[in-house]
Amino acid sequence: MSKRNTPVENDGPAGGEPHGHAETLPFDADTLREECGVFGIFGQSDAGALTALGLHALQHRGQEAAGIVSFDGERFHTERHMGLVGDYFTKQSIIDRLSGHASIGHVRYSTTGETILRNVQPLFADLDAGGFAVCHNGNLTNALTLRDQLVRDGAIFQSTSDTEVIIHLVARSRKRTFVEKFVEALWQLEGAYSLVALTNKKLIGARDPLGIRPLVLGDLDGSPVFASETCALDIIGAKFVRDVENGEVVVVNKDGIHSHFPFPRVPPRPCIFEYIYFARPDSVVGGRNVYEVRKRMGRQLAKENPIKADVVVPVPDSGVPAAIGYAQKSGIPYEMGIIRNHYVGRTFIEPTQQIRKLGVKLKHSANSAQVKGQRVVLIDDSLVRGTTSIKIVQMMYEAGAKEVHLLVASPPITHSDYYGIDTPDADKLLAANHSLEEMRKIVGADSLQFLSIDGIYKAMGHKKGRNAAVPQFTDHCFTGDYPTGLTDRTGKAQPKQLSLLQEAG
Ligand code: AMP
């Protein structure tokens, strides 16, 4: 191990026990898991601190753990912790340890791999080619298959994260240059990845051939920046330059930025759920302001489902922009009929059965004065298991609502996700197992309606709906149209993504 590449690891207490770990609330465990956020910067003396700020802005993409790796010209420095960015990366001692001009970071809510510190990214390895740190947003659909092959060939895995497969593939490549090794590794992957990687000479940003997960390129006083979303550029005062394109590998070194397109070009298939739920409303994803799109989804919902009601109430925060759009289009007044407690932290003491029964009230409370005696249009962005809706509809009735009409600003989720959103298996998806009327009865509302799939595309600016839309988004949750092979699920060895690329080439 050369001195140059030796990482200074500060991974918390010995034995891999997580720092500051707290059990999530049992009823939190019932909600979905979120995906991840990535960030990278090259050529700033306080790169580690800037990365911490960027991750802070990406916190909504993952609250389980955060990590940063920096490189100071000689050594890599690693800090990885369970918990929120602000729990650790505001401490001067930690930021001081992340010295150097280049840095990458990750916020995580595990989509694959267990909740243990050694799965927390960035992952680091000292390769023949030099030190290599990588962080990943997305989920590979052939990671288990690749891992089995690698283990049979003698690879020793340190984590259960699918990202480690990428490190092993890079390590094994016999190509000459680091970028060639990296690209050869990417060729073997199937599924979704937006990667930010750091070597002792380069910062790399890469998006899978379909561009399923987002990644943007920014500029801070001449220093290139990669981030999952533009809100992470805004927080450090960086300019948005452009989206990293689907299938693009952007390599940054001291000589500048070099763009590579190693795969045959295919039309992008960005994930529609970024617009519906994941991305922060102030971010611009694929040229669209997320807040505007969500408002348009609400307007479209009003066009498709006009209802006689007295008040439009959002399920905060996720339903707010759509509810504003619905209210504007329908002319029904918008009111905050539900108040969200923002301080329900992950460190909340595990509740007793008695407290557990209070369930959702910890997070949401009815604002009775606004709903009593009213016909309420209740708006949320999505319905998955129905857990939230059941509780909130009941809460509205208990607060005295005369009628409750639940409108969902996205179509019924009938299929699981394997690209990093990690929706539950189909047997737990309400819409996969019940008719509209059955769902209405389950959530207990006077009426229940969803935005149509064409309505979603119209809100995205595609007037003719889904089938005429370019790009056609990754919308398998609603359509079952998975844009890549699902090798780990189907056991079919030839990844569809790869064969699709080879055909295109
Ligand atoms: P459910 O309660 O299972 O029907 O889930 C729907 C609620 O979870 C809505 O309020 C959404 O805003 C929210 N939601 C949707 N997708 C996700 C996700 N991947 N992770 C966490 N929450 C989500």
Side-chain angles (χ1 to χ4, degrees), residues 236-256:
I236 60 165
K239 284 196 308 269
F240 169 72
V241 176
R242 63 181 177 84
D243 286 284
V244 174
E245 288 185 45
N246 57 307
E248 184 177 7
V249 177
V250 183
V251 180
V252 174
N253 62 20
K254 65 177 179 16
D255 302 321

Side-chain angles (χ1 to χ4, degrees), residues 18 41 63 69 74 77 94 146 158 212 216 255 316 333 363 379 396 415 417 430 432 466 469 479 485 498 504-505:
I41 186 162
Q63 295 104 48
V69 167
E74 267 198 19
H77 307 275
I94 288 186
L146 289 172
Q158 304 282 332
I212 296 174
V216 296
D255 302 321
K363 197 169 172 188
I379 301 208
M396 291 290 91
H415 291 77
D417 175 79
L430 204 63
R466 178 180 193 263
T479 60
L498 196 60

Side-chain angles (χ1 to χ4, degrees), residues 10 48 66 69 77 100 133 136 153 174 301 402 407 411 440 485 503 505:
N10 288 300
V69 167
H77 307 275
H136 175 195
D153 287 354
R174 292 281 161 261
L301 195 58
K402 203 156 76 186
L407 295 186
R440 183 196 69 74
E503 276 163 32

Side-chain angles (χ1 to χ4, degrees), residues 302-373:
K303 272 197 213 164
E304 294 181 8
N305 302 289
I307 286 178
K308 283 208 178 79
D310 304 308
V311 64
V312 175
V313 170
V315 178
D317 296 323
S318 54
V320 169
I324 292 174
Y326 191 96
Q328 287 175 350
K329 182 74 189 166
S330 65
I332 303 170
Y334 168 97
E335 297 294 355
M336 290 175 66
I338 301 167
I339 305 299
R340 177 169 167 197
N341 185 336
H342 288 268
Y343 307 100
V344 181
R346 300 172 50 74
T347 49
F348 199 89
I349 306 153
E350 191 167 326
T352 60
Q353 186 61 27
Q354 172 74 16
I355 294 176
R356 204 174 299 166
K357 275 202 208 134
L358 300 176
V360 78
K361 285 187 183 156
L362 279 179
K363 197 169 172 188
H364 293 119
S365 314
N367 185 4
S368 308
Q370 296 302 320
V371 297
K372 195 165 183 182

Side-chain angles (χ1 to χ4, degrees), residues 30-35 273 277-278 315 318-319 380-389 413 421-423:
D30 211 20
T31 66
L32 294 176
R33 296 183 285 169
E34 297 176 40
E35 41 173 348
F273 226 74
Y277 174 79
F278 281 126
V315 178
S318 54
D380 204 355
D381 68 292
S382 57
L383 186 146
V384 187
R385 299 175 200 228
T387 324
T388 312
S389 306
I413 297 179
I421 296 174
D422 211 29
T423 50

Side-chain angles (χ1 to χ4, degrees), residues 32 49 72 115 153 156 207 218 237 247 275 283 343 348 355 409 411 460:
L32 294 176
D72 67 7
T115 307
D153 287 354
I156 296 166
R207 250 177 121 182
Y275 294 96
S283 285
Y343 307 100
F348 199 89
I355 294 176
M460 300 287 291

Side-chain angles (χ1 to χ4, degrees), residues 101-141:
H101 65 279
S103 167
I104 63 173
H106 189 257
V107 284
R108 166 178 207 268
Y109 203 124
S110 68
T111 47
T112 64
E114 304 153 55
T115 307
I116 43 173
L117 195 57
R118 59 175 201 264
N119 279 337
V120 176
Q121 301 190 20
L123 299 184
F124 179 88
D126 211 357
L127 308 182
D128 190 33
F132 173 51
V134 63
C135 36
H136 175 195
N137 173 206
N139 203 5
L140 305 179
T141 51

